DNA sequence: TTGTAAGCGTTATCAT
DNA sequence: ATGATAACGCTTACAA
């Protein structure tokens, strides 16, 4: 059972291997008749070209690397799906590569990936893009890459992000519209960019509504359930407690809901709770969570499409893209007060 | 900036390329002195061998394929992690390959993967192993593979599974121990094996306790939230309703909790709810869910280790492995009644 | 212990 | 429009 090679096809079709190669790669200058004959033989022999040989001979890897660090599984899942589907459409594979960017050796491994020609391009998920020395080096090596929601958005490097600030603004405005005057805010990890953007959206909505910003309604969390529970617990202990709590993500919002229940109060009657991201969790808790949808899948898709343009040397009409968020209203914020 | 090749290293180290190759592959019969010199040069030149060339020359792909169909995110995430970590330790990559086993063309793509020499072995996640024609073909082609929780466990093909029946038995017994006499059971998708195993564990515990099996306490769901909600709603409508509901997975249990709340009752005071899998969701809902932990990560790890043994032609001491589940007690089942 | 030469199965070059 | 032949960068006989 030795594998069928391009030579077998060539012999059977009575053409040269180069002609078979031309058919394989859809090159021009092949007589329709010849093409048809070769294709028939390919079918007949169930021939599939060896990827390894293609890679070696062409110098391309036909795979794109997805660099990930500390991503939540919901985030990762959607990014991976978006990248994979787009890559597949281009005949590419995806190599998922976790990388602890705080360890120099791990950074080196990403560079090895490139030097080994294992990838033709890279996609960075946050906060992996914070490895600025790596990014710099890749830029110098002229390695194609794209970034999802990077911290740095001032350099002329490409990225795809979402409207974090606008999303938080929309949510806060919605809560204000429901009649809330005192809205708690649970911050996410300070090392990341999104929590700051979201906070500034909250802040702006508060300002525009003239309801006065209160420092003691801001609490810090780490995006995980437990910290959301703690944050909400402490907010409920503030004298004249907030009537609504807006959390940096859904998981903390779930924690906040638990905190409210544990304190013997109800959601949304006593306290309204809102999240961010619209993860599956949002629909799976009681009461279902009002939140902001972040179009992760779509972002990954666009980022990958752009990456292919860069790989192919095409011009990018938009180096920087922002895909809008969307307010998703559910029961956890209740009705007009 | 043309890439550094094995020839550059050989020249600089004043040895033949074969010697460099020997050092690279940790082969025997290299003088310590020579090895050291070659390694120095490798460091100095930051040389990394081309994977494509290695693959082509050796006929190995250094990649294992992970075949997935319809997996939940939590499941997939853990499997992928287990497979990747083990693969990485062996210097292997992982190629995630979704495959709708109901479509012949997709089955063909898996075979192409093999014929293209893109993978040295495969891991199947349920219910992808149900593609029995594919499995048969792979066996005939002598392609190494391993299966996670397969439906068929009678053939001498390798697999790694968990103790679904025992887990469900443990949970049911625990509920009975709390004083429950009428325990609803929400079934999962009938096409899969696990729901049946879990049901038979439930059934056995009921029998052993002599509390009488009641057909109308069994409802069918599809493992998703909404169906759990519906299933629980219908169970609560049964006259002399169950005091506990055991769901085939956590997501449906979350739905059941929502159903109880929506009907104005409380969990666990009025109805106890239990799940299966111990997904993150179990801790993120209120009240936190009593469930059975399924060691997905560990199973994937073992399955991959075994796959490498098969690839290397080593003997498998255990062709079939079952890793135990574990009862996780939280508030959703409350205390003794 | 080390080296020479012949593949591996493609793509690329340059004729024709 | 097609073909002969040389890469691609490594591993694998087989020598030495």
């Amino acid at each position: 059972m030795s594998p069928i090679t391009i030579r077998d096809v060539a012999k059977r079709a009575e053409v040269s291997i180069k002609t078979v190669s031309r058919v394989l790669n859809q090159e021009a200058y092949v007589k329709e008749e010849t093409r048809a004959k070769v294709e028939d033989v390919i079918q007949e022999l169930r021939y599939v070209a060896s990827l390894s040989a293609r890679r070696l001979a062409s110098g391309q890897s036909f795979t794109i690397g997805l660099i990930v660090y500390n991503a939540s599984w919901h985030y990762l899942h959607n990014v991976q799906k978006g990248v994979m589907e787009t890559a597949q459409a281009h005949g590419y594979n995806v190599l998922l590569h976790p990388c602890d960017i705080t360890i120099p050796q791990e950074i080196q491994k990403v560079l090895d990936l490139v030097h080994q020609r294992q990838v033709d391009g890279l996609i960075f998920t946050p906060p992996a893009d914070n490895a600025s020395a790596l990014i710099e080096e890749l830029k110098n090596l002229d390695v194609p890459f794209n970034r999802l929601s990077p911290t740095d958005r001032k350099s002329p490097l490409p990225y795809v992000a979402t409207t974090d600030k606008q999303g938080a603004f929309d949510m806060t405005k919605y809560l204000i519209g429901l009649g809330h005057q005192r809205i708690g805010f649970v911050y996410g990890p300070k090392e990341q960019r999104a929590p700051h953007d979201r906070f500034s959206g909250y802040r702006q909505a508060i300002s525009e509504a003239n309801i006065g910003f209160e420092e003691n309604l801001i609490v810090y969390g780490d995006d995980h359930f437990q910290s959301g529970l703690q944050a909400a617990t402490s907010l409920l202990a503030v004298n004249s407690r907030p009537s609504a709590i807006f959390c940096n993500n859904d998981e903390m919002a779930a924690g906040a809901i638990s905190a409210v229940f544990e304190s013997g109060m109800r959601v949304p009657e006593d306290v309204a709770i809102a999240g961010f991201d619209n993860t599956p969790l949002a629909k799976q808790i009681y009461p279902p969570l009002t939140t902001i949808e972040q179009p992760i899948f779509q972002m990954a898709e666009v980022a990958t499409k752009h990456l292919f343009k860069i790989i192919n040397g095409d011009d990018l009409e938009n180096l920087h893209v922002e895909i809008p968020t969307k307010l998703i209203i559910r029961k956890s914020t209740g009705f007009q007060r």
Side-chain angles (χ1 to χ4, degrees), chain A residues 93-134:
Chain A
N93 286 331
V94 174
L95 184 65
L96 179 62
H97 188 93
C99 169
D100 182 340
I101 61 165
T102 63
I103 300 176
Q105 292 177 322
E106 300 248 312
I107 297 283
Q108 185 56 46
K109 280 196 178 164
V110 176
L111 286 170
D112 286 351
L113 229 52
V114 169
H115 287 128
Q116 251 183 330
R117 306 266 152 128
Q118 272 212 64
V119 295
D120 293 342
L122 296 166
I123 300 262
F124 286 89
T125 64
D129 58 283
N130 278 335
S132 48
L134 173 58

Side-chain angles (χ1 to χ4, degrees), chain A residues 233-244:
Chain A
T233 303
S234 74
L235 278 172
L236 296 177
V238 169
N239 52 347
S240 105
R241 58 171 172 75
S243 65

Side-chain angles (χ1 to χ4, degrees), chain A residues 286-304:
Chain A
Y286 188 85
L289 196 63
T290 293
T291 188
I292 296 289
E293 179 178 303
Q294 196 189 166
I296 304 172
F297 174 81
Q298 219 184 114
M299 289 162 67
E301 239 180 3
V302 172
T304 310

